[in-house]
Coordinates of all heavy atoms in Angstrom, one line a residue:
Q1 N 8.9 -2.2 -5.7 CA 10.2 -2.0 -5.5 C 10.3 -1.0 -4.3 O 9.7 0.1 -4.4 CB 10.9 -1.6 -6.7 CG 11.0 -2.5 -7.8 CD 11.5 -1.9 -9.0 OE1 12.0 -0.8 -9.1 NE2 11.6 -2.7 -10.1
L2 N 11.1 -1.3 -3.3 CA 11.3 -0.5 -2.2 C 12.8 0.1 -2.1 O 13.6 -0.8 -2.2 CB 10.9 -1.1 -0.9 CG 9.4 -1.4 -0.8 CD1 9.2 -2.4 0.5 CD2 8.5 -0.3 -0.6
L3 N 13.0 1.2 -1.7 CA 14.3 1.7 -1.4 C 14.2 2.1 0.1 O 13.5 3.2 0.4 CB 14.8 2.9 -2.3 CG 16.1 3.5 -1.8 CD1 17.3 2.4 -2.0 CD2 16.4 4.7 -2.7
V4 N 14.8 1.3 1.0 CA 14.7 1.6 2.4 C 16.1 2.0 2.9 O 17.1 1.4 2.6 CB 14.3 0.3 3.1 CG1 14.1 0.5 4.7 CG2 13.0 -0.1 2.6
K5 N 16.1 3.1 3.6 CA 17.3 3.6 4.3 C 17.0 4.1 5.6 O 16.0 4.7 5.8 CB 18.0 4.7 3.5 CG 18.5 4.5 2.2 CD 19.2 5.6 1.6 CE 19.7 5.2 0.2 NZ 20.2 6.5 -0.5
N6 N 17.8 3.6 6.8 CA 17.5 4.0 8.0 C 16.0 3.8 8.5 O 15.4 4.7 9.1 CB 18.0 5.5 8.2 CG 19.4 5.7 7.9 OD1 20.2 4.9 8.3 ND2 19.7 6.9 7.3
Q7 N 15.5 2.7 8.2 CA 14.2 2.3 8.6 C 13.0 3.1 8.1 O 12.0 3.2 8.7 CB 14.0 2.2 10.3 CG 15.0 1.3 10.8 CD 14.6 -0.2 10.4 OE1 13.4 -0.6 10.4 NE2 15.6 -1.0 9.9
K8 N 13.5 3.7 6.9 CA 12.4 4.6 6.3 C 12.3 4.3 4.9 O 13.3 4.1 4.3 CB 12.8 6.1 6.5 CG 11.9 7.2 6.1 CD 12.5 8.6 6.5 CE 11.5 9.6 6.1 NZ 11.9 10.9 6.4
I9 N 11.1 4.4 4.3 CA 11.0 4.1 2.9 C 11.3 5.4 2.1 O 10.5 6.4 2.1 CB 9.5 3.6 2.5 CG1 9.3 2.4 3.3 CG2 9.3 3.5 1.0 CD1 7.9 1.7 3.1
H10 N 12.4 5.4 1.4 CA 12.8 6.7 0.7 C 12.1 6.8 -0.6 O 12.0 7.7 -1.4 CB 14.3 6.8 0.6 CG 14.9 7.2 1.8 ND1 15.0 8.5 2.2 CD2 15.2 6.5 3.0 CE1 15.7 8.7 3.3 NE2 15.8 7.4 3.9
N11 N 11.9 5.5 -1.2 CA 11.3 5.6 -2.7 C 10.6 4.2 -2.8 O 10.9 3.2 -2.1 CB 12.3 5.7 -3.7 CG 11.6 6.2 -5.0 OD1 10.5 6.5 -5.1 ND2 12.5 6.4 -6.0
I12 N 9.5 4.3 -3.5 CA 8.7 3.1 -3.8 C 8.0 3.2 -5.2 O 7.6 4.3 -5.5 CB 7.6 2.9 -2.7 CG1 6.8 1.6 -3.0 CG2 6.7 4.1 -2.6 CD1 5.9 1.3 -1.8
K13 N 8.1 2.1 -5.9 CA 7.4 2.0 -7.2 C 6.8 0.7 -7.4 O 7.2 -0.2 -6.7 CB 8.5 2.2 -8.3 CG 9.2 3.5 -8.2 CD 10.2 3.6 -9.4 CE 11.0 4.9 -9.1 NZ 12.0 5.1 -10.3
F14 N 5.9 0.5 -8.3 CA 5.2 -0.6 -8.6 C 5.1 -0.7 -10.0 O 4.9 0.2 -10.8 CB 3.9 -0.9 -7.7 CG 2.7 -0.1 -8.4 CD1 1.9 -0.7 -9.2 CD2 2.5 1.2 -8.0 CE1 0.8 -0.1 -9.8 CE2 1.5 2.0 -8.6 CZ 0.6 1.4 -9.4
Q15 N 4.9 -2.0 -10.5 CA 4.6 -2.2 -11.9 C 3.7 -3.4 -11.8 O 4.0 -4.5 -11.2 CB 5.8 -2.6 -12.7 CG 5.6 -3.1 -14.2 CD 6.7 -3.5 -14.8 OE1 7.8 -3.4 -14.3 NE2 6.7 -3.8 -16.1
G16 N 2.5 -3.4 -12.5 CA 1.5 -4.5 -12.4 C 0.4 -4.2 -13.4 O 0.2 -3.2 -14.0
S17 N -0.3 -5.2 -13.4 CA -1.6 -5.2 -14.2 C -2.7 -5.8 -13.4 O -2.5 -6.6 -12.4 CB -1.5 -5.9 -15.5 OG -1.1 -7.3 -15.3
G18 N -3.9 -5.4 -13.7 CA -5.0 -5.8 -12.9 C -6.2 -4.9 -13.1 O -6.2 -4.0 -14.0
C19 N -7.1 -5.1 -12.2 CA -8.3 -4.3 -12.3 C -8.0 -2.8 -11.9 O -6.9 -2.5 -11.2 CB -9.5 -4.8 -11.5 SG -9.2 -4.8 -9.6
V20 N -8.9 -2.0 -12.2 CA -8.7 -0.5 -11.9 C -8.6 -0.3 -10.4 O -7.8 0.4 -10.0 CB -9.9 0.3 -12.4 CG1 -9.8 1.7 -11.9 CG2 -10.0 0.3 -13.8
I21 N -9.4 -1.1 -9.6 CA -9.3 -0.9 -8.1 C -7.8 -1.2 -7.6 O -7.2 -0.6 -6.7 CB -10.3 -1.7 -7.4 CG1 -11.7 -1.4 -7.7 CG2 -10.1 -1.8 -5.8 CD1 -12.1 0.1 -7.3
S22 N -7.2 -2.3 -8.1 CA -5.9 -2.8 -7.6 C -4.9 -1.8 -8.1 O -4.0 -1.5 -7.2 CB -5.6 -4.2 -8.0 OG -5.5 -4.3 -9.5
I23 N -4.9 -1.2 -9.1 CA -4.0 -0.3 -9.7 C -4.1 1.0 -8.9 O -3.1 1.6 -8.5 CB -4.1 0.0 -11.2 CG1 -3.9 -1.3 -11.9 CG2 -3.1 1.0 -11.7 CD1 -2.5 -2.0 -11.8
V24 N -5.3 1.5 -8.8 CA -5.5 2.8 -8.1 C -5.1 2.6 -6.5 O -4.4 3.5 -6.1 CB -7.0 3.3 -8.2 CG1 -7.3 4.4 -7.1 CG2 -7.2 3.6 -9.5
A25 N -5.3 1.6 -6.0 CA -5.0 1.3 -4.6 C -3.5 1.2 -4.5 O -2.9 1.9 -3.5 CB -5.6 0.1 -4.1
A26 N -2.8 0.6 -5.4 CA -1.3 0.6 -5.3 C -0.8 1.9 -5.6 O 0.2 2.3 -4.8 CB -0.8 -0.4 -6.4
S27 N -1.4 2.7 -6.5 CA -0.8 4.1 -6.7 C -1.0 4.9 -5.4 O 0.0 5.6 -5.0 CB -1.5 4.6 -7.9 OG -1.0 5.9 -8.1
M28 N -2.2 4.9 -4.8 CA -2.4 5.7 -3.7 C -1.6 5.3 -2.4 O -1.1 6.1 -1.7 CB -3.9 5.8 -3.4 CG -4.7 6.4 -4.4 SD -6.5 6.3 -4.1 CE -6.6 7.8 -3.1
L29 N -1.5 3.9 -2.3 CA -0.6 3.5 -1.2 C 0.8 3.8 -1.4 O 1.5 4.2 -0.3 CB -0.8 2.0 -1.1 CG -0.1 1.3 0.1 CD1 -0.8 1.7 1.4 CD2 -0.2 -0.2 -0.1
T30 N 1.4 3.8 -2.6 CA 2.8 4.2 -2.8 C 3.0 5.6 -2.4 O 4.0 6.0 -1.8 CB 3.3 3.9 -4.2 OG1 2.4 4.6 -5.1 CG2 3.3 2.4 -4.5
D31 N 2.0 6.5 -2.7 CA 2.1 7.9 -2.4 C 2.1 8.1 -0.9 O 2.8 8.9 -0.4 CB 1.0 8.8 -3.0 CG 1.1 8.9 -4.5 OD1 2.3 8.7 -5.0 OD2 0.1 9.3 -5.3
K32 N 1.2 7.3 -0.2 CA 1.0 7.5 1.2 C 2.3 7.0 2.0 O 2.6 7.7 3.0 CB -0.2 6.6 1.6 CG -0.5 6.8 3.2 CD -1.6 6.1 3.7 CE -1.8 6.2 5.2 NZ -1.9 7.5 5.6
I33 N 2.9 5.9 1.6 CA 4.0 5.3 2.5 C 5.3 5.9 2.1 O 6.2 5.6 2.9 CB 3.9 3.9 2.4 CG1 4.2 3.2 1.1 CG2 2.6 3.4 2.9 CD1 4.3 1.7 1.2
K34 N 5.5 6.6 1.0 CA 6.8 7.2 0.7 C 7.2 8.1 1.8 O 6.3 9.0 2.2 CB 6.8 7.9 -0.6 CG 8.1 8.4 -1.1 CD 8.1 9.0 -2.4 CE 9.5 9.5 -2.8 NZ 9.5 10.1 -4.0
D35 N 8.5 8.0 2.3 CA 8.9 8.7 3.4 C 8.4 8.3 4.8 O 8.6 9.0 5.8 CB 8.7 10.3 3.2 CG 9.5 10.8 2.0 OD1 10.6 10.2 1.8 OD2 9.0 11.6 1.3
M36 N 7.7 7.3 5.0 CA 7.1 6.8 6.1 C 8.2 5.9 6.8 O 9.0 5.2 6.1 CB 5.8 6.0 6.0 CG 4.6 6.9 5.8 SD 3.1 6.0 5.7 CE 2.8 5.2 7.4
N37 N 8.1 5.7 8.0 CA 8.9 4.8 8.9 C 8.4 3.3 8.7 O 7.2 3.3 8.4 CB 9.0 5.0 10.3 CG 9.8 6.3 10.6 OD1 10.8 6.6 10.0 ND2 9.3 7.1 11.6
I38 N 9.2 2.4 8.6 CA 8.9 1.0 8.3 C 7.8 0.6 9.4 O 6.9 -0.1 9.2 CB 10.1 0.0 8.2 CG1 10.8 0.3 7.0 CG2 9.7 -1.4 8.3 CD1 12.0 -0.4 6.8
S39 N 8.1 1.0 10.7 CA 7.2 0.5 11.8 C 5.8 1.1 11.5 O 4.8 0.4 11.8 CB 7.8 1.0 13.1 OG 7.9 2.3 13.2
S40 N 5.7 2.2 11.0 CA 4.3 2.8 10.7 C 3.7 2.2 9.6 O 2.4 1.9 9.6 CB 4.5 4.4 10.5 OG 5.0 5.0 11.5
V41 N 4.4 1.8 8.6 CA 3.9 1.1 7.4 C 3.4 -0.3 7.8 O 2.3 -0.7 7.5 CB 4.9 1.0 6.2 CG1 4.5 0.1 5.1 CG2 5.3 2.3 5.8
K42 N 4.1 -0.9 8.7 CA 3.7 -2.2 9.2 C 2.4 -2.2 9.9 O 1.7 -3.2 10.0 CB 4.8 -3.0 10.0 CG 6.0 -3.3 9.2 CD 7.0 -4.0 10.0 CE 8.2 -4.6 9.2 NZ 9.2 -5.2 10.1
K43 N 2.0 -1.1 10.5 CA 0.8 -0.9 11.3 C -0.4 -0.6 10.3 O -1.6 -0.7 10.9 CB 1.0 0.2 12.3 CG 2.0 -0.2 13.3 CD 2.1 1.0 14.4 CE 3.3 0.7 15.3 NZ 3.5 1.9 16.2
L44 N -0.2 -0.2 9.1 CA -1.4 -0.1 8.3 C -2.2 -1.3 8.1 O -1.8 -2.4 8.1 CB -0.8 0.5 6.9 CG -0.1 1.8 6.8 CD1 0.4 2.0 5.4 CD2 -1.0 2.9 7.2
N45 N -3.5 -1.1 7.9 CA -4.4 -2.2 7.9 C -5.5 -1.9 6.7 O -5.4 -0.9 6.0 CB -5.0 -2.4 9.3 CG -5.8 -1.4 9.7 OD1 -6.5 -0.5 8.9 ND2 -5.8 -1.1 11.0
K46 N -6.4 -2.8 6.7 CA -7.5 -2.8 5.7 C -8.2 -1.4 5.7 O -8.4 -0.8 4.7 CB -8.4 -3.9 6.0 CG -9.7 -4.0 5.2 CD -10.5 -5.1 5.8 CE -12.0 -4.9 5.1 NZ -12.8 -6.0 5.7
N47 N -8.6 -1.0 6.8 CA -9.3 0.4 7.0 C -8.5 1.6 6.5 O -9.0 2.4 5.8 CB -9.8 0.5 8.3 CG -10.8 -0.5 8.9 OD1 -11.5 -1.0 8.1 ND2 -10.7 -0.7 10.2
D48 N -7.1 1.5 6.6 CA -6.3 2.6 6.0 C -6.4 2.7 4.6 O -6.5 3.7 4.0 CB -4.9 2.4 6.6 CG -4.7 2.6 8.0 OD1 -5.4 3.5 8.6 OD2 -4.1 1.7 8.6
V49 N -6.4 1.5 3.8 CA -6.3 1.5 2.5 C -7.8 1.8 2.0 O -7.9 2.6 1.0 CB -6.0 0.0 2.0 CG1 -6.2 -0.1 0.3 CG2 -4.6 -0.3 2.4
L50 N -8.9 1.3 2.6 CA -10.2 1.6 2.2 C -10.4 3.1 2.4 O -11.2 3.7 1.6 CB -11.2 0.8 3.0 CG -11.0 -0.7 2.7 CD1 -12.1 -1.4 3.4 CD2 -11.2 -1.0 1.2
K51 N -9.8 3.7 3.4 CA -10.1 5.1 3.6 C -9.4 6.0 2.5 O -9.8 6.9 2.1 CB -9.5 5.5 5.0 CG -9.7 6.9 5.4 CD -9.2 7.2 6.8 CE -9.5 8.6 7.2 NZ -8.9 8.9 8.6
L52 N -8.2 5.5 2.0 CA -7.6 6.2 0.9 C -8.4 6.2 -0.2 O -8.5 7.3 -0.9 CB -6.2 5.3 0.7 CG -5.0 5.6 1.5 CD1 -3.9 4.8 1.0 CD2 -4.6 7.1 1.3
L53 N -9.1 5.0 -0.6 CA -9.8 4.9 -1.8 C -11.1 5.7 -1.7 O -11.7 6.3 -2.6 CB -10.2 3.4 -2.0 CG -9.1 2.5 -2.5 CD1 -9.5 1.1 -2.5 CD2 -8.5 3.1 -3.8
N54 N -11.8 5.7 -0.5 CA -13.0 6.5 -0.1 C -14.1 6.3 -1.2 O -14.8 7.0 -1.6 CB -12.6 8.1 -0.4 CG -13.5 8.9 0.4 OD1 -14.4 8.4 1.2 ND2 -13.8 10.2 -0.1
I55 N -14.3 4.9 -1.4 CA -15.4 4.5 -2.2 C -15.9 3.2 -1.6 O -15.1 2.5 -0.9 CB -15.0 4.2 -3.7 CG1 -13.9 3.2 -3.8 CG2 -14.7 5.5 -4.5 CD1 -13.8 2.7 -5.3
K56 N -17.1 2.9 -1.9 CA -17.8 1.7 -1.3 C -17.4 0.5 -2.3 O -17.6 0.6 -3.4 CB -19.3 1.8 -1.1 CG -19.9 0.6 -0.5 CD -21.4 0.9 -0.2 CE -22.1 -0.3 0.3 NZ -22.0 -0.5 1.8
L57 N -16.9 -0.5 -1.6 CA -16.4 -1.7 -2.4 C -17.2 -2.9 -1.9 O -17.4 -3.1 -0.8 CB -14.9 -1.9 -2.3 CG -14.0 -0.9 -2.7 CD1 -12.7 -1.2 -2.5 CD2 -14.2 -0.8 -4.3
N58 N -17.6 -3.8 -2.9 CA -18.2 -5.1 -2.4 C -17.1 -6.0 -2.0 O -15.9 -5.8 -2.2 CB -19.0 -5.7 -3.5 CG -18.3 -6.1 -4.7 OD1 -17.2 -6.7 -4.6 ND2 -18.8 -5.9 -5.9
P59 N -17.5 -7.1 -1.3 CA -16.4 -8.0 -0.7 C -15.3 -8.5 -1.7 O -14.2 -8.6 -1.4 CB -17.2 -9.1 0.0 CG -18.5 -8.5 0.2 CD -18.7 -7.5 -0.8
A60 N -15.7 -8.8 -2.9 CA -14.8 -9.3 -4.0 C -13.7 -8.2 -4.4 O -12.6 -8.5 -4.6 CB -15.6 -9.7 -5.2
R61 N -14.3 -6.9 -4.4 CA -13.3 -5.9 -4.7 C -12.4 -5.4 -3.7 O -11.4 -4.9 -3.8 CB -14.1 -4.6 -5.3 CG -15.0 -5.0 -6.4 CD -14.3 -5.6 -7.6 NE -13.6 -4.5 -8.3 CZ -13.2 -4.4 -9.4 NH1 -13.4 -5.5 -10.2 NH2 -12.6 -3.4 -10.0
I62 N -12.8 -5.7 -2.4 CA -12.0 -5.4 -1.3 C -10.6 -6.1 -1.3 O -9.5 -5.6 -1.2 CB -12.6 -5.7 0.1 CG1 -13.8 -4.6 0.3 CG2 -11.7 -5.7 1.2 CD1 -14.6 -4.9 1.5
K63 N -10.7 -7.5 -1.8 CA -9.5 -8.2 -2.0 C -8.6 -7.4 -3.0 O -7.3 -7.4 -2.8 CB -9.8 -9.5 -2.5 CG -8.6 -10.4 -2.6 CD -9.0 -11.9 -3.1 CE -7.7 -12.7 -3.2 NZ -8.1 -14.0 -3.7
C64 N -9.1 -6.9 -4.1 CA -8.3 -6.2 -5.1 C -7.6 -5.0 -4.5 O -6.4 -4.7 -4.7 CB -9.2 -5.7 -6.3 SG -10.0 -7.0 -7.2
A65 N -8.4 -4.3 -3.6 CA -7.9 -3.0 -3.0 C -6.6 -3.4 -2.1 O -5.9 -2.5 -1.9 CB -9.0 -2.4 -2.3
L66 N -6.6 -4.6 -1.4 CA -5.7 -4.9 -0.4 C -4.5 -5.5 -1.0 O -3.6 -5.8 -0.2 CB -6.4 -5.8 0.7 CG -7.5 -5.0 1.4 CD1 -8.1 -6.0 2.4 CD2 -7.1 -3.7 2.0
L67 N -4.4 -5.8 -2.2 CA -3.3 -6.6 -2.8 C -2.0 -5.9 -2.6 O -1.0 -6.4 -2.2 CB -3.5 -6.8 -4.3 CG -4.5 -8.0 -4.6 CD1 -4.7 -8.0 -6.1 CD2 -4.0 -9.3 -4.1
S68 N -2.0 -4.5 -2.8 CA -0.8 -3.8 -2.7 C -0.2 -3.8 -1.3 O 0.9 -3.7 -1.0 CB -1.0 -2.3 -3.4 OG -2.1 -1.7 -2.7
L69 N -1.1 -3.6 -0.3 CA -0.8 -3.5 1.1 C -0.1 -4.9 1.5 O 0.8 -4.9 2.1 CB -2.0 -3.3 2.0 CG -1.7 -3.2 3.6 CD1 -0.6 -2.1 3.8 CD2 -3.0 -3.0 4.2
E70 N -0.7 -6.0 1.0 CA -0.1 -7.3 1.3 C 1.2 -7.5 0.6 O 2.2 -7.9 1.3 CB -1.1 -8.4 0.8 CG -0.6 -9.9 0.9 CD -1.6 -10.8 0.3 OE1 -2.8 -10.6 0.1 OE2 -1.1 -11.9 0.1
A71 N 1.5 -6.9 -0.5 CA 2.7 -7.0 -1.2 C 3.7 -6.2 -0.4 O 4.9 -6.6 -0.3 CB 2.6 -6.5 -2.6
V72 N 3.4 -5.1 0.0 CA 4.3 -4.2 0.7 C 4.8 -4.8 2.1 O 6.0 -4.9 2.4 CB 3.8 -2.8 0.9 CG1 4.6 -2.0 2.0 CG2 3.6 -2.0 -0.4
K73 N 3.6 -5.4 2.8 CA 4.1 -5.9 4.1 C 5.0 -7.3 3.8 O 5.9 -7.4 4.6 CB 2.8 -6.4 4.9 CG 2.2 -5.0 5.4 CD 1.0 -5.4 6.2 CE 0.5 -4.2 6.9 NZ -0.4 -4.5 8.0
K74 N 4.7 -8.0 2.8 CA 5.6 -9.1 2.5 C 7.0 -8.7 2.2 O 8.0 -9.3 2.7 CB 5.0 -9.9 1.5 CG 3.9 -10.8 2.0 CD 3.3 -11.7 0.9 CE 2.2 -12.7 1.4 NZ 1.7 -13.5 0.4
A75 N 7.1 -7.5 1.4 CA 8.4 -7.1 1.0 C 9.2 -6.6 2.2 O 10.5 -6.8 2.2 CB 8.2 -6.0 0.0
L76 N 8.6 -6.1 3.2 CA 9.2 -5.5 4.3 C 9.6 -6.6 5.4 O 10.4 -6.4 6.3 CB 8.3 -4.5 5.1 CG 8.2 -3.1 4.3 CD1 7.1 -2.3 5.1 CD2 9.5 -2.5 4.1
R77 N 9.1 -7.8 5.2 CA 9.5 -9.0 6.1 C 10.9 -9.3 5.7 O 11.8 -9.8 6.2 CB 8.6 -10.1 5.9 CG 7.3 -9.9 6.6 CD 6.6 -11.1 6.6 NE 5.1 -10.9 6.5 CZ 4.2 -11.4 5.9 NH1 4.4 -12.5 5.3 NH2 2.9 -11.1 5.9

């Protein structure tokens, strides 16, 4: 859930279930993008999320880590 005012994310929350990687990535991403401008959020990419997590992931787990970024970008469309 996003609360957007004046092209800025004022609040963000998520509810979900999944593996630890997907939940942690979602939590860290929500912390990062709160109070960011929408244009800056839209520029975030795979490397930004992986940098937040700061752990080595195998290819199957990278997909888990990127689910929240995909959801945010779709919500902003």
Side-chain angles (χ1 to χ4, degrees):
Q1 299 173 358
L2 296 167
L3 176 61
V4 178
K5 292 183 182 176
N6 300 322
Q7 297 297 307
K8 188 175 182 181
I9 297 176
H10 282 273
N11 204 357
I12 182 168
K13 297 179 183 183
F14 76 96
Q15 178 180 359
S17 61
C19 69
V20 171
I21 298 296
S22 65
I23 299 298
V24 169
S27 179
M28 294 177 87
L29 185 64
T30 58
D31 286 345
K32 178 175 178 63
I33 68 174
K34 186 175 180 182
D35 297 322
M36 280 180 69
N37 291 322
I38 290 175
S39 60
S40 298
V41 174
K42 287 181 177 180
K43 293 177 186 175
L44 293 175
N45 61 37
K46 169 184 170 179
N47 292 330
D48 296 315
V49 174
L50 297 179
K51 188 176 178 181
L52 279 175
L53 291 173
N54 197 28
I55 58 173
K56 186 170 175 85
L57 298 172
N58 66 41
R61 303 303 283 202
I62 289 173
K63 184 176 178 181
C64 300
L66 298 177
L67 286 172
S68 56
L69 180 61
E70 183 180 335
V72 166
K73 287 189 173 190
K74 284 184 178 180
L76 291 174
R77 284 189 213 142

